[in-house]
Every structure is written in C-alpha cells, then in structure tokens.
C-alpha cells in the first residue's frame, strides 16, 4: 500500500504504536460478585481469594490508560486487590519487573483484611526529564518514572513546590488516621480519568493528587528512589 498523504502516514504509524500494547485476562480461576470500586495493592495474599491474572504486554507512557484497562479487566471478575506476580528465569530466580511485560495476580479481600498504611506522602515524577521538588525547604531531584516516599509527622504541615517559574506550591496536613497521600509531579497536562476507576482528581497546576488505587499501580511500575 502506498500512502501519499504524509499526515495519514503519521496517523497510521501512531495507531500502530497505540495498538502494540495488550492488556488482557490471561487466567480466570473464579468470579466474585462484589461491587467494590477500589483496586488496591496487597503484599500478603494468604487470606485473599485468588481470582485470576491480568497480563500487560508492550510499553505505554500513558499510565492512566494502562491502569484503566487493567482496572476494567479486574472488575470483570470482581477483584478488589492485586499483587505483582513476577516471571521466573530459567534458573528459577525471579525477574525484575519489566514495564513492557508484566502480570498482576487478582484477588478478592474483605475490606477489613487490608493492612494499615504508613502515613506517608508519595511523590511520583512522570516528566521525561529530572524533576526538582522542594519539600519543607529540602530539595530533591526525582528521575523520570520514579517516586519518593516521605514519612510524615501528623503534627507538621508539609509545603511541596515544583521549584520553577509559574510552578505549583501546595500545603498538606497529614491525616490523623495515618492514611497515605499521593501526588504526581508533572510538567505536562494530564487528562483526568472520568471512568470512575480511580485516576487523577485533586489538581493544582503541575501537582496532581492521585486516588489510592491508581497511585499504588504506579508504585509497581515506577522506580522507588531513596529520599536522601
């Protein structure tokens, strides 16, 4: 096929890149009838009911879209929890997570079965370049697709700034119940997720508050950087 219109050619190439990624249910053990809207990460699966697995093949920088697809697949079988299920190497050792190919085991867990949180602030950097962040006067440089976890003191107010011209500054009061708070730092505009799957909601310039379900998904595909 010969394409004479260069704009049409670009569209065809981009369409091919978009469809290179697959998000599908690779295994279904059982279906649960719960209607929970959240989808939380768990590390301890002993008391959780295994339902199946979702597999993600191909890399996409549109993390919200990937999460939305994985969320929809999980809800098809009634999952409200997930855990990373690593692939094994030939020698039996565990492979590191490859953001271009990984799988999540899906579970149902009663609400009282989820463990407590650490009372931390999570800062995710989604920009293509290093992101400078200032928290209560201390400067951090966060690499692309990385995040910081900062333990908080309930009695302290935290001021977070993106440290650039026309950048954003927000003040955060840690929650008394010890719940974590999640934010994405980005130089790009990110479209809000209107699927109800838990995407992006509290927006303040280039500092965006994240719903827990989506943030915990980012915590597995992003690299945790030490807060030094």
């Amino acid at each position: 096929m010969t394409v004479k219109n260069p704009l049409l050619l670009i569209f065809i190439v981009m369409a091919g890149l978009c469809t290179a990624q697959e998000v599908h249910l690779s295994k279904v053990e059982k279906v649960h009838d719960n209607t929970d809207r959240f989808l939380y990460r768990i590390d301890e699966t002993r008391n959780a009911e295994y339902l199946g697995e979702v597999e993600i093949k191909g890399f996409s920088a549109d993390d919200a879209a990937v999460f939305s697809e994985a969320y929809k697949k999980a809800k098809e079988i009634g999952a409200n929890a997930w855990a990373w299920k690593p692939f094994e190497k030939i020698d039996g050792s565990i492979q590191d997570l490859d953001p271009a190919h990984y799988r999540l085991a899906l579970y149902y867990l009663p609400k009282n079965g989820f463990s407590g949180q650490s009372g931390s602030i999570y800062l995710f950097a989604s920009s293509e370049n290093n992101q400078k962040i200032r928290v209560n006067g201390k400067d951090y440089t966060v690499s692309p697709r990385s995040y910081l976890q900062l333990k908080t003191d309930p009695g302290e107010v935290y001021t977070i700034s993106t440290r650039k011209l026309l950048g954003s500054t927000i003040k955060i009061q840690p929650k008394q119940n010890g719940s974590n708070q999640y934010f994405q730092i980005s130089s790009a505009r990110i479209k809000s997720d209107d699927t109800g799957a838990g995407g992006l909601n509290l927006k303040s310039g280039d500092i965006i508050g994240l719903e827990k379900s989506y943030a915990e998904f980012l915590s597995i595909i992003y690299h945790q950087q030490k807060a030094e």
Side-chain angles (χ1 to χ4, degrees):
M1 179 182 68
T2 301
V3 179
K4 296 182 179 180
N5 188 330
L7 293 179
L8 179 59
L9 178 60
I10 292 173
F11 175 80
I12 292 173
V13 172
M14 292 303 295
L17 291 176
C18 291
T19 57
Q21 187 183 56
E22 298 178 22
V23 180
H24 66 278
L25 283 169
S26 56
K27 184 181 295 185
V28 176
E29 188 75 15
K30 61 177 68 173
V31 176
H32 200 283
D33 62 358
N34 93 88
T35 57
D36 294 332
R37 296 180 65 83
F38 61 85
L39 184 66
Y40 293 158
R41 176 183 175 181
I42 56 175
D43 295 315
E44 176 55 63
T45 63
R46 186 185 317 166
N47 298 319
E49 183 179 1
Y50 175 77
L51 301 181
E53 295 175 16
V54 63
E55 188 169 353
I56 296 91
K57 293 182 179 180
F59 175 77
S60 170
D62 190 344
D63 301 311
V66 176
F67 171 73
S68 180
E69 288 302 310
Y71 175 92
K72 291 174 185 176
K73 298 299 182 185
K75 290 307 173 183
E76 287 181 17
I77 59 175
N80 65 3
W82 61 270
W84 172 47
K85 187 172 183 179
F87 293 106
E88 291 187 358
K89 297 180 182 178
I90 297 177
D91 62 3
S93 60
I94 294 176
Q95 293 184 4
D96 293 334
L97 188 141
D98 178 359
H101 186 202
Y102 55 98
R103 58 184 174 176
L104 308 177
L106 304 174
Y107 300 89
Y108 169 75
L109 188 64
K111 292 181 181 180
N112 60 8
F114 290 91
S115 59
Q117 299 189 61
S118 60
S120 299
I121 293 174
Y122 286 77
L123 302 173
F124 297 88
S126 63
S127 57
E128 296 180 355
N129 302 311
N130 288 343
Q131 178 69 56
K132 295 184 182 299
I133 303 171
R134 176 170 292 169
V135 182
N136 283 8
K138 184 174 182 178
D139 295 334
Y140 301 91
T141 299
V142 189
S143 303
R145 300 185 70 81
S146 297
Y147 71 94
L148 297 177
Q149 178 185 357
L150 305 176
K151 197 73 187 299
T152 58
D153 181 346
E156 188 172 356
V157 174
Y158 292 81
T159 301
I160 301 175
S161 170
T162 53
R163 291 192 57 213
K164 60 183 177 182
L165 183 65
L166 302 180
S168 298
T169 299
I170 62 173
K171 292 183 180 293
I172 301 171
Q173 176 72 54
K175 297 182 179 181
Q176 294 299 318
N177 63 1
S179 296
N180 297 330
Q181 297 183 72
Y182 309 91
F183 297 89
Q184 190 166 46
I185 314 299
S186 175
S187 57
R189 248 191 189 318
I190 299 178
K191 182 179 179 182
S192 297
D193 177 19
D194 57 4
T195 64
L200 321 172
N201 40 31
L202 308 175
K203 191 166 185 180
S204 176
D206 49 6
I207 301 177
I208 304 166
L210 302 181
E211 193 274 335
K212 179 183 173 182
S213 295
Y214 178 59
E216 291 188 335
F217 171 74
L218 291 184
S219 73
I220 196 72
I221 61 173
Y222 279 31
H223 171 71
Q224 183 173 5
Q225 189 171 312
K226 290 184 177 181
E228 298 177 339

